Amino acid sequence: MNETNDHSGKTFTFDAIVVGAGHAGIEAGLALARLNRRVCMLSISLDNVGYLACNPSIGGTAKGHLVREIDALGGEMGVAADRTLTQLRMLNRSKGSAVHSLRAQVDKYAYHAYMKRTLETQPGLTLRQGEVKRLLTGADGGRIEGVETVYGQRFLAPAVVLACGVYLKSCVIVGDVIENKGPASFNRANHLSDSLTALGLSLRRFKTGTPARVKLSGVELSALEEQRGETDIYSFSALSNKVAAAKRVCYLGYTNPATHDLIRQNLHLAPKYAGLISGAGARYCPSIEDKIVRFRDKERHQFFLEPEGEGTEEYYVQGLSSSLPADIQYRLYRTIKGFENVEIMRDAYAIEYDCIDPTTLFPSLMHKACAGLFFAGQINGTSGYEEAAAQGLMAGINAARYVGGQEPVVLSRAQAYIGVLIDDLVTKGTDEPYRMMTSRAEFRLLLRQDNADLRLTEIGRQIGLAGEKRCRLYQRRKSRIDRAKQALAAVVPPKSLAPLFLEAGEPLPATGMTVADILKRGGLTPALMAKYAGLFPGIHPTIYAYMLGEARYAGYLTRALNAQNEQQRLEALPLPARLDYTALKGLRIEAAEKLNKLQPRSVGQAARLPGVNPADITVLL
C-alpha cells in the first residue's frame, strides 16, 4: 500500500485504480503494473478474483482466438488456463484452419487461486477488498480524479478502469424469487450505478444466465457419451510447455420430449415469460426455456456435463441454463436420460445487471466525456470471460499510456479479433450481450489462432508487455516459418513421394511436385507430413500445420490481403474531431445525425456505422 496523503488511512494515491477483479480487471491491473504504473485493484470480495461464475472453461469458437491474442500481447489468461486446465480440445477440426478454436475445461478453484496469487505477487500492484461507492471527478465532471468506497476511503489517481462485470445493481432471479445479489451469491455493487448516472452516463439492463450444478455420483454416466480431451494440440500460451490435457472426462447428453413437455407446461412460471425480467438476454446463449420456444421442431437439445474442478463432485450442465422455479428445475433435470436420480447442488438462475452504452467510448476504451475514465468487460455490454479479458488488457494498456502522456494503442479489424471486438462495440454498440464469433471478422482467414503470435507479439514488445522469453520464442518460431516458406518452392521427385502418397491414399504424380503443391493435397494430414518430415527439408515438424493452411488457402489469402489493404487505406484517412456533419452538403440527414453522435475518427470507421451508406462515404471522401 502506498503511503497515505494524510497518514490517517483515509486517502491513498496511485497512478491508476482498477475497480473489479474479474477477467477484465485482472488483465487491466497486471498490464498497468507491468508497464510500471502504481495501481490499486478494488474488489467487492477477494474471494471472487478471477472467479469463473459461469462455465468452468476458457476458449471456444472465436474465444480461443482472443485468448491467443491476449497471450501474444503479454496478457495472463492463456498462461492461467494452461496451468489449471483439466481437458483441452480443438473445436471445428473438420473445417478450415481459420475457425479452429482451442477450448479448455479448467479447474475453477485452481484458476481463482492462480490469478489471486499472481496479483498478490505482482510488483507495483495493491490488491484491496472494498466496494466503490462513487467516482471522484473535477468540478465539471470532465476528468476522473479517483474513487471513494462505502467506508469513506478515497483512492486518488488520474486514471480509473471500471471492470465491474455483472455486479452493478445485479439481481439473481429464480422463478418469482428476486434476490439483490451478484453471481454465485457474492454481494452486488449497490452504489456505483448511481454515481455513473450522476456523471451523465445512460445505463441499460442486460441479462445472462447459468445452469444448475449437479452431483456426479447421482448421474448414470453409462447413459451419456464420453467426451475426452486431446493431447496432440498446442497450448494457449507460447510460454507453456506441453500441457497435460486429458485429466478429466466430460459427457454429452440430450433432452427429450418429456423434458420439453414439462417446460411448456410451466412456461408461464419462467421469469422472462411472466414479465419479471426486463433485461436483454444473450441471443447466442439462450436458456433451455428459450430453446423450446424458438426451436419448436427440435425433439432434443444437447448438453455437456463438465467438471467444476478437482476435489469436488459438482458438475456444470452446459446448455441447460434456466431461471424456472427450483422445484420445476428439479423435475426438469430428472426427465433426462441418465439424470433420473440426479441431485442438484446449486440451482440454475438468471441474473440482471446494469451496463453502459459502449458507443460513448473512444476506441481506446476511455469515455468521451470524462478524461482518464476507462471501461472494460461486461459493463460494456459483452458476454464471456475472453471478451472481458481482451478489453481489460487494452484498457489497462491505454490507461498506462494516458498516465504517461502517450498516444493510445488501437488494434484495427485487420490486425486482431480484439480489434474487431472493440470496433464493433464503440462503432455499432450492442442491444444485447455481445459475443465474439468468427463470422464477425471480415478477415478471419488472416486472423487465425496459429498466427496470433506473428501478428501481435511485436506490438506487445513495443508496448512493453511481451517479455524477453515470449519475444525469444516468437523469434524462433518466426525464423522456422521463414525457412519453411523458402522450402515451399523445393521440388520433390516422384520416387521420394511414393511412401507418403501411398499411405495417404493419394494418386502418385508422374512428375515432381513443389512442397507447396504437396501440402494442398487433401489426404495429406499434418500427422502424415510430420511422419515423412525428411521429404521436406527446412520445415520444422511443429510448423507443418501452419504451412498447411498457408498453402491450401494461398489464393483466398491473397484476395483477403487485397481487401485488407483497401480497408486500411480508408482507416488511414482521418476525420476532424468535433466536426458538424449537418453542415456538409450532400450528406443525408440520417447519416449526418449518426456521424454527429459517434464522431468517427476515420473514414473507415464512418463506413461501418449503421445508417451510413456508400454514397455518404463518397461525400466524406
Side-chain angles (χ1 to χ4, degrees), residues 37 96 202 233 278 280 324 330 359 431 460:
R37 305 293 183 246
S202 176
I233 45 183
S278 59
L324 284 163
Y330 179 82
T359 63
D431 294 325

Side-chain angles (χ1 to χ4, degrees), residues 56 84-87 105-111 244 246-249 307-315:
T84 61
L85 62 81
T86 58
Q87 188 187 95
Q105 293 300 131
V106 299
D107 184 326
K108 68 188 300 178
Y109 308 108
Y111 190 93
K247 298 177 186 176
R248 300 291 293 272
V249 178
E308 290 272 271
E310 301 292 338
T312 178
E313 283 211 19
E314 283 191 79
Y315 267 63

Side-chain angles (χ1 to χ4, degrees), residues 179-201:
E179 299 178 277
N180 294 335
K181 59 185 181 183
S185 291
F186 287 118
N187 289 333
R188 74 175 190 172
N190 287 300
H191 307 284
L192 190 53
S193 290
D194 295 335
S195 183
L196 291 171
T197 302
L199 198 59
L201 277 76

Side-chain angles (χ1 to χ4, degrees), residues 322-339:
S322 178
S323 56
L324 284 163
D327 60 318
I328 304 299
Q329 289 185 36
Y330 179 82
R331 292 163 54 195
L332 182 161
Y333 278 90
R334 288 196 164 205
T335 64
I336 297 169
K337 186 177 181 181
F339 276 45

Side-chain angles (χ1 to χ4, degrees), residues 365-439:
L365 296 180
M366 186 172 77
H367 198 267
K368 292 176 179 178
C370 187
L373 180 59
F374 294 80
F375 291 79
Q378 288 184 268
I379 193 173
N380 288 344
T382 59
S383 68
Y385 311 140
E386 303 81 4
E387 290 90 340
Q391 294 171 72
L393 178 64
M394 299 310 298
I397 289 170
N398 287 325
R401 294 176 73 86
Y402 171 81
V403 171
Q406 300 166 285
E407 288 296 310
V409 173
V410 176
L411 298 176
S412 73
R413 302 179 70 91
Q415 287 177 300
Y417 271 83
I418 295 176
V420 175
L421 164 66
I422 294 176
D423 182 70
D424 278 352
L425 291 174
V426 303
T427 302
K428 303 174 185 177
T430 181
D431 294 325
E432 61 188 35
Y434 176 102
R435 178 179 180 175
M436 193 71 246
M437 296 179 291
T438 56
S439 59

Side-chain angles (χ1 to χ4, degrees), residues 225-238:
E225 301 174 26
E226 284 192 355
Q227 298 278 300
R228 294 192 174 273
E230 300 170 331
T231 57
D232 61 336
I233 45 183
Y234 50 75
S235 57
F236 279 116
S237 177

Side-chain angles (χ1 to χ4, degrees), residues 115-167:
M115 282 302 200
K116 185 168 183 284
R117 182 62 177 163
T118 299
L119 295 174
E120 291 171 345
T121 57
Q122 173 61 50
L125 189 150
T126 296
L127 183 61
R128 189 77 150 75
Q129 182 164 296
E131 180 186 346
V132 172
K133 181 178 182 178
R134 69 186 183 99
L135 300 176
L136 304 175
T137 63
D140 62 353
R143 185 175 302 276
I144 197 72
E145 294 182 350
V147 301
E148 182 179 311
T149 70
V150 293
Y151 296 146
Q153 292 177 307
R154 293 157 65 90
F155 295 81
L156 306 180
V160 171
V161 179
L162 294 185
C164 307
V166 299
Y167 285 82

